[in-house]
Amino acid sequence: MKKILLFLCLFISFSIFSQNLVQWSDDFSDGDFTKNPTWSGMSENFIVNEDSQLQSNASTTSKSYLSTPSEAFEDAVWEFWVRINYTTSSSNYAMVYIIVDRADISGDVNGYYVQIGNTADEISLYRQQGNSRTKIIDGVDKSVDTNPVIVNIRVTRSKDGTFSLFRKRQSDVVGFSDADFVQEGESVIDNEVQGSKYFGVLFSNSSTTGKAYLFDDIFVKGEKFADVIPPEWTDLQLVEPNQLVLTFSEAVDISSASFHVDNGIGNPVSSMLSEDGMTLRLTFAKDFEKGVIYTVEALNVKDLAGNPLTNTQKQIGKYEFPKAGDIVINEILFETANGVPEYFEIYNVSDKILLLDNSYFAVRSPSTGLFSLNNAFPANTILLAKSYLALSSDPDLVKEHFDVPSSANILKANRWSALNNTSARFLIAHLDIRTENGLTVRDTVILDELHYNVKWHSELSTANVALERINPKNRTQIPTNWYSAAPEVNFGTPGYENSRYMMPDTIPPVLTGLAIIEPNKIVLNFSEIIDISTATFSVDQGIGNSTGLTVLADEMTLIISFDNDFEKGKIYTINISNIKDLAGNPLVKNTYQTGILEPAEKDDLVINEILFDNLENSAEYFEIYNKSGKVIDLTPLFFTVNNSTYNYFPSQTFILPGEYLAFSPEPELVKEAYTVPEIANIRKSERWSALNNTEASFLIGYIVQDSVIALDSVRYNAKWHHTMIKNPKGVSLERINPNMPSQSPSSWHSAASEVGYGTPGYKNSQYRDLETIAEPEKWIWVEPEVFSPDNDGIDDVCFIRYKTDAAGYTANIIIFNSVGVKVKQLGSNILLSQDGILTWDGKTDRGQNVNPGIYVLYVEFVNSDKGVKKIEKIPLVVSAR
């Protein structure tokens, strides 16, 4: 049966009315789809039936296609008739490519197609870019929910890129026939794909629907795409011993082109251009040599529209497989949003030309530390010396989002494992395969590994912000060697030099560990790799200058030897001179104290400060204080929350007498949040149990014969904070004095506002001396007599000191206001030691702050054994400053 086209007239053969106008049609009335026009593809799965219709003829489940040349693109119209003798579904549907850049439309292409049928039983228009498909016009659901589906389809595209989709159905089902064309969805402007080379039809059939698809009455008219985009030289491969393969972004014209290679290779003796015009193979008379980097020049190469090649030079050479130290991880985007793909970048620090076959990228399991070699680099990937390579699951989207230069080297990864948004151990590895003694040996070589953390970012908002390596020569696992990519490059530089490359290092090194190893050695640990070329070391008390020096593999740890032995019980001062980091920044502090290590005993160490409700841009921490006269090794000790997990202190961590030491999972963030002084001593704890924001039991101790020996413990509570602290987030609890009882709320106070509500690693803002110096005949007195409980760190607490003539007294202690009303019962029949201290923080019995004014401290001392009763009344003032 013949059908009359609904637009213009029927054209049997291909015709052109002007240089740019394309107009052709096919109703298959000649009974042959191989000519007038010529359709090619999976021809065995198509026939022209008795009704002069192109019909599917698949004998098994398939996705079959035919395509024919077609360049209609601007001010264009496409019309065609489709019949499907089956109910459409996810496996039974038809696709008509109106615009496409390749003849084989079954794979990765760039173009637009109409899909008839799917699970929604609709007619919709899609854009395809590679293997990415985007629905740009969403047709009405259930519009083809009938059997058979018979529909005429029209698509139009204006010069500005506005697509419109129309359908006209034929059906015996009531309500399914259309009297005229009906628009599907809304018109949309889309210019993501430029130009067309082919038109094609495709059907997806199940085992029973191989003959169910029919196409007919195809009409196409439109202007060709005005191509003003120059071609790009996208790839260069060396094929041993004497060939080069050049790949271009589109078909090229080499009729007047010339090619040349330096270092004695010269011009090619032959060339062969692929059928699609995008790949060129050059053969030379001389062989390429290993280790030589060659510059290849391509002149007078044009695309078919006459646009000249933009980049005319590339470098190449004979490759080697990578070894440890050849490649570093140089940039990573692990947190994305709004459809931007993840990526990572590597940099070849060597002078070699590296082939990345049998090379992989992976993420270690956080629980087992194992990884799988599933994600391989693309085959035949070559990385030149001192060059960059980025990998992503969708390079086109990465290029688009970050607006990368044409020189950027970004490839598509065939497989991708999602990167954790906060932290992960990411690595690149090479599978070294060789034969030894007739046996195949496989060794996995770790090329580089990065345990990244989102907190290394300098930007507060980290989605779609890459972490860039500052210096490829510095160690990978140094947080200060990483920085957020600059906003000027939209926070990412995939495949080319980092925006933060060689950013000046102005941060001086810090001594993070110091200990004596008996009898005559000292171990020093630094925060970064150091330069000791001009360093000197000396120790007082007769030890003298160092006589030996060993640098460990991390280049951050030194072992210094002396001729004289150290003695137990002495505190030594070591002087360190001329220590610098690799950037030349000198060690700020040169003098330190240490002594021979001794084990900790009960009451040697106390918990001195706790931050359990941290700010979003900071981290939790706790602080300990060494009350003893010993130098204590913390290595065998642990800390635990609610007696759950035993988190051991970092090995080789030592604390001097009278020293403060804070621990946090992220010390750099803590230092920044609290603007700590240089003397602050804060260490990183790799193991950490989260501190509850309201209350928890916190303990430090060690284990002896399966029994836990507690050195100190405290069950803190958020209610211990000062009443003026309305929001305790970011406010630490400080111990007023290390000798006050751990579990008494009166021993703790909110850190002062003047220090930013925290003093990690140095003396507490609320510290008060407890030394009791009583005046003669005075049993009780207050310090200070005027105090201001405003949490500014200055006289926030009133200390009530007492000294009786003997032990065994009990006391009633009450605070009255100026008119005799009780505001606070500090103690009722409490048993006193002979001398001691109580505190009042300016709160009433209801937990509210008292008003500024004059108050009276009433104290009643009673000793029943002696029959003594003594009453004291002392005025004190609450000030508002």
Side-chain angles (χ1 to χ4, degrees):
M1 178 185 72
K2 298 309 298 168
K3 295 171 290 298
I4 299 175
L5 286 175
L6 300 176
F7 185 80
L8 297 178
C9 60
L10 182 66
F11 287 84
I12 303 301
S13 61
F14 180 85
S15 57
I16 300 177
F17 292 94
S18 71
Q19 184 178 359
N20 290 318
L21 178 65
V22 175
Q23 183 171 308
W24 63 273
S25 64
D26 201 346
D27 67 353
F28 305 101
S29 58
D30 59 0
D32 187 356
F33 60 79
T34 63
K35 56 185 178 182
N36 296 325
T38 300
W39 296 80
S40 59
M42 300 173 66
S43 303
E44 67 277 10
N45 286 352
F46 288 88
I47 62 170
V48 176
N49 63 23
E50 295 178 353
D51 293 325
S52 297
Q53 299 160 337
L54 183 65
Q55 183 173 353
S56 60
N57 191 35
S59 57
T60 60
T61 300
S62 74
K63 286 186 180 178
S64 305
Y65 76 93
L66 291 176
S67 63
T68 187
S70 177
E71 296 184 77
F73 185 74
E74 296 179 342
D75 285 335
V77 60
W78 299 265
E79 289 196 6
F80 45 89
W81 174 87
V82 177
R83 176 175 178 138
I84 304 175
N85 294 324
Y86 197 76
T87 302
T88 64
S89 66
S90 60
S91 57
N92 286 280
Y93 55 85
M95 297 164 65
V96 178
Y97 280 81
I98 58 173
I99 293 170
V100 68
D101 63 344
R102 297 186 183 183
D104 184 354
I105 61 175
S106 63
D108 291 353
V109 298
N110 298 298
Y112 299 90
Y113 64 87
V114 178
Q115 181 161 334
I116 304 98
N118 51 22
T119 53
D121 295 318
E122 64 185 6
I123 302 170
S124 296
L125 181 65
Y126 289 77
R127 176 183 71 243
Q128 182 175 346
Q129 294 172 289
N131 64 359
S132 175
R133 301 169 188 267
T134 305
K135 186 189 295 187
I136 61 173
I137 295 182
D138 187 4
V140 178
D141 290 356
K142 304 299 182 182
S143 65
V144 290
D145 186 16
T146 183
N147 185 2
V149 176
I150 305 173
V151 61
N152 284 87
I153 294 173
R154 177 190 296 163
V155 184
T156 63
R157 182 187 184 277
S158 62
K159 204 171 191 67
D160 69 350
T162 300
F163 283 94
S164 300
L165 174 64
F166 305 88
R167 50 90 172 158
K168 182 179 180 183
R169 299 173 302 186
Q170 304 171 41
S171 178
D172 295 333
V173 179
V174 177
F176 263 81
S177 288
D178 299 314
D180 201 349
F181 277 97
V182 176
Q183 184 166 354
E184 288 277 6
E186 295 183 0
S187 299
V188 63
I189 296 177
D190 193 295
N191 289 296
E192 295 298 313
V193 176
Q194 295 290 311
S196 178
K197 296 293 179 62
Y198 296 92
F199 177 98
V201 296
L202 180 148
F203 65 87
S204 172
N205 68 283
S206 57
S207 59
T208 59
T209 61
K211 299 180 184 298
Y213 298 86
L214 299 93
F215 305 89
D216 202 358
D217 294 341
I218 300 171
F219 174 82
V220 176
K221 181 181 179 181
E223 297 285 334
K224 293 181 182 179
F225 171 60
D227 183 4
V228 295
I229 301 174
E232 293 184 11
W233 186 357
T234 58
D235 192 33
L236 175 65
Q237 300 287 339
L238 188 154
V239 180
E240 294 193 68
N242 63 341
Q243 291 187 333
L244 294 176
V245 177
L246 291 67
T247 304
F248 303 95
S249 60
E250 57 180 306
V252 293
D253 174 10
I254 61 168
S255 58
S256 59
S258 63
F259 305 91
H260 181 79
V261 180
D262 65 355
N263 287 321
I265 298 298
N267 300 325
V269 294
S270 66
S271 61
M272 184 172 64
L273 189 63
S274 63
E275 185 177 347
D276 63 5
M278 298 174 64
T279 304
L280 175 66
R281 182 178 292 265
L282 302 177
T283 303
F284 296 84
K286 294 183 179 180
D287 294 347
F288 293 96
E289 297 179 11
K290 188 174 181 179
V292 179
I293 297 178
Y294 297 94
T295 299
V296 183
E297 189 173 34
L299 300 177
N300 296 322
V301 176
K302 307 172 185 176
D303 64 13
L304 301 184
N307 300 302
L309 189 68
T310 52
N311 50 325
T312 60
Q313 286 188 348
K314 280 187 179 293
Q315 290 185 314
I316 194 68
K318 292 184 71 171
Y319 58 78
E320 300 176 56
F321 288 115
K323 299 183 183 300
D326 288 344
I327 293 174
V328 296
I329 300 165
N330 201 57
E331 184 176 348
I332 189 164
L333 176 66
F334 51 83
E335 184 183 1
T336 61
N338 302 322
V340 177
E342 300 171 334
Y343 72 81
F344 72 91
E345 176 190 87
I346 59 175
Y347 177 68
N348 181 358
V349 297
S350 76
D351 293 321
K352 308 172 186 175
I353 302 166
L354 301 175
L355 174 65
L356 301 185
D357 282 6
N358 296 325
S359 296
Y360 301 84
F361 59 96
V363 177
R364 285 191 189 271
S365 165
S367 57
T368 66
L370 301 177
F371 62 91
S372 300
L373 298 182
N374 293 327
N375 302 321
F377 281 79
N380 301 317
T381 297
I382 292 176
L383 187 59
L384 297 179
K386 306 298 186 292
S387 64
Y388 304 86
L389 169 65
L391 251 63
S392 172
S393 61
D394 196 328
D396 290 335
L397 290 181
V398 170
K399 291 176 181 178
E400 178 182 354
H401 178 81
F402 292 100
D403 192 23
V404 302
S406 59
S407 61
N409 189 11
I410 310 176
L411 296 182
K412 176 180 173 61
N414 296 323
R415 290 175 59 101
W416 189 268
S417 298
L419 302 173
N420 188 282
N421 285 357
T422 55
S423 179
R425 296 171 64 183
F426 180 80
L427 61 89
I428 51 176
H430 179 71
L431 187 60
D432 182 17
I433 305 174
R434 62 189 187 279
T435 301
E436 292 183 0
N437 300 323
L439 299 176
T440 300
V441 178
R442 298 171 181 264
D443 288 335
T444 301
V445 180
I446 304 299
L447 301 176
D448 197 17
E449 182 166 0
L450 170 66
H451 191 175
Y452 66 78
N453 195 303
V454 68
K455 294 178 181 178
W456 292 0
H457 272 294
S458 54
E459 296 291 328
L460 294 179
S461 179
T462 55
N464 295 340
V465 179
L467 264 182
E468 291 184 333
R469 190 181 189 125
I470 296 171
N471 188 338
K473 295 181 180 179
N474 283 353
R475 292 190 184 278
T476 299
Q477 203 54 46
I478 300 177
T480 54
N481 197 34
W482 294 85
Y483 212 80
S484 298
E488 291 78 12
V489 292
N490 202 22
F491 303 105
T493 54
Y496 67 105
E497 184 176 281
N498 291 349
S499 62
R500 305 294 187 180
Y501 175 69
M502 299 302 286
M503 185 172 68
D505 177 7
T506 60
I507 302 174
V510 175
L511 183 70
T512 58
L514 169 64
I516 291 175
I517 303 176
E518 294 187 79
N520 65 338
K521 290 182 173 62
I522 290 181
V523 178
L524 302 174
N525 302 102
F526 295 90
S527 59
E528 56 181 308
I529 298 173
I530 53 171
D531 174 10
I532 59 164
S533 57
T534 60
T536 60
F537 308 90
S538 64
V539 179
D540 65 353
Q541 302 202 57
I543 299 299
N545 296 326
S546 61
T547 56
L549 175 62
T550 302
V551 182
L552 299 191
D554 63 2
E555 300 180 56
M556 296 188 290
T557 305
L558 307 180
I559 299 179
I560 307 167
S561 302
F562 298 86
D563 284 340
N564 299 310
D565 294 349
F566 296 97
E567 298 178 23
K568 196 171 184 178
K570 285 187 176 181
I571 302 299
Y572 295 93
T573 299
I574 179 171
N575 186 270
I576 305 171
S577 300
N578 298 323
I579 284 282
K580 298 174 285 186
D581 63 15
L582 297 182
N585 300 303
L587 191 68
V588 175
K589 182 181 176 184
N590 300 108
T591 302
Y592 301 86
Q593 288 187 316
T594 188
I596 292 177
L597 299 176
E598 297 184 62
E601 298 177 307
K602 188 171 178 59
D603 293 331
D604 284 348
L605 301 174
V606 294
I607 301 161
N608 200 54
E609 184 175 353
I610 304 176
L611 176 71
F612 48 83
D613 191 358
N614 59 289
L615 297 167
E616 291 183 2
N617 62 341
S618 184
E620 300 172 334
Y621 70 81
F622 71 90
E623 174 190 270
I624 60 175
Y625 175 75
N626 185 355
K627 292 170 51 180
S628 74
K630 308 173 184 176
V631 180
I632 295 174
D633 182 6
L634 299 182
T635 303
L637 309 183
F638 64 81
F639 58 94
T640 182
V641 180
N642 294 330
N643 294 314
S644 55
T645 302
Y646 294 161
N647 302 303
Y648 282 87
F649 287 90
S651 62
Q652 302 297 305
T653 302
F654 319 111
I655 184 168
L656 295 176
E659 187 175 50
Y660 302 88
L661 182 54
F663 291 91
S664 172
E666 297 292 343
E668 296 303 322
L669 294 180
V670 171
K671 290 177 183 178
E672 184 176 349
Y674 292 93
T675 319
V676 300
E678 291 181 0
I679 61 170
N681 196 1
I682 310 175
R683 304 287 179 84
K684 179 178 177 65
S685 178
E686 296 291 348
R687 302 186 61 178
W688 192 265
S689 297
L691 303 173
N692 189 283
N693 287 355
T694 53
E695 64 174 328
S697 177
F698 188 81
L699 177 147
I700 57 173
Y702 59 95
I703 295 178
V704 176
Q705 297 179 348
D706 297 329
S707 297
V708 173
I709 307 299
L711 296 174
D712 193 21
S713 66
V714 57
R715 186 166 187 84
Y716 66 80
N717 195 304
K719 295 179 180 178
W720 293 2
H721 276 299
H722 195 280
T723 53
M724 292 189 67
I725 305 298
K726 302 304 181 185
N727 181 5
K729 186 173 287 294
V731 182
S732 75
L733 274 177
E734 293 183 332
R735 197 174 188 131
I736 294 173
N737 188 287
N739 292 308
M740 295 179 71
S742 298
Q743 202 47 53
S744 172
S746 61
S747 301
W748 298 84
H749 200 285
S750 303
S753 58
E754 306 299 87
V755 294
Y757 300 105
T759 54
Y762 65 105
K763 189 174 180 179
N764 290 350
S765 63
Q766 301 293 0
Y767 173 83
R768 295 295 182 272
D769 193 357
L770 298 186
E771 184 180 358
T772 302
I773 304 175
E775 296 180 17
E777 307 299 324
K778 237 183 186 183
W779 280 32
I780 190 163
W781 66 101
V782 296
E783 296 177 357
E785 294 179 351
V786 179
F787 77 106
S788 54
D790 55 4
N791 205 54
D792 65 352
I794 303 174
D795 296 333
D796 286 334
V797 178
C798 177
F799 290 87
I800 303 164
R801 302 178 183 270
Y802 64 86
K803 186 176 180 67
T804 63
D805 60 353
Y809 278 88
T810 60
N812 294 305
I813 305 173
I814 305 171
I815 305 292
F816 292 96
N817 65 16
S818 59
V819 295
V821 177
K822 183 178 77 170
V823 295
K824 179 70 175 181
Q825 181 88 42
L826 284 178
S828 179
N829 293 320
I830 58 173
L831 182 63
L832 303 178
S833 57
Q834 189 166 348
D835 60 80
I837 186 170
L838 300 169
T839 62
W840 183 42
D841 59 3
K843 295 178 186 177
T844 69
D845 283 331
R846 295 184 178 181
Q848 299 173 333
N849 276 358
V850 298
N851 294 320
I854 299 174
Y855 293 82
V856 176
L857 171 68
Y858 173 88
V859 184
E860 183 181 80
F861 294 98
V862 177
N863 191 319
S864 300
D865 294 337
K866 290 187 173 185
V868 175
K869 182 176 181 180
K870 184 177 178 64
I871 295 176
E872 296 276 359
K873 297 179 181 179
I874 301 174
L876 54 88
V877 177
V878 176
S879 169
R881 286 204 179 272

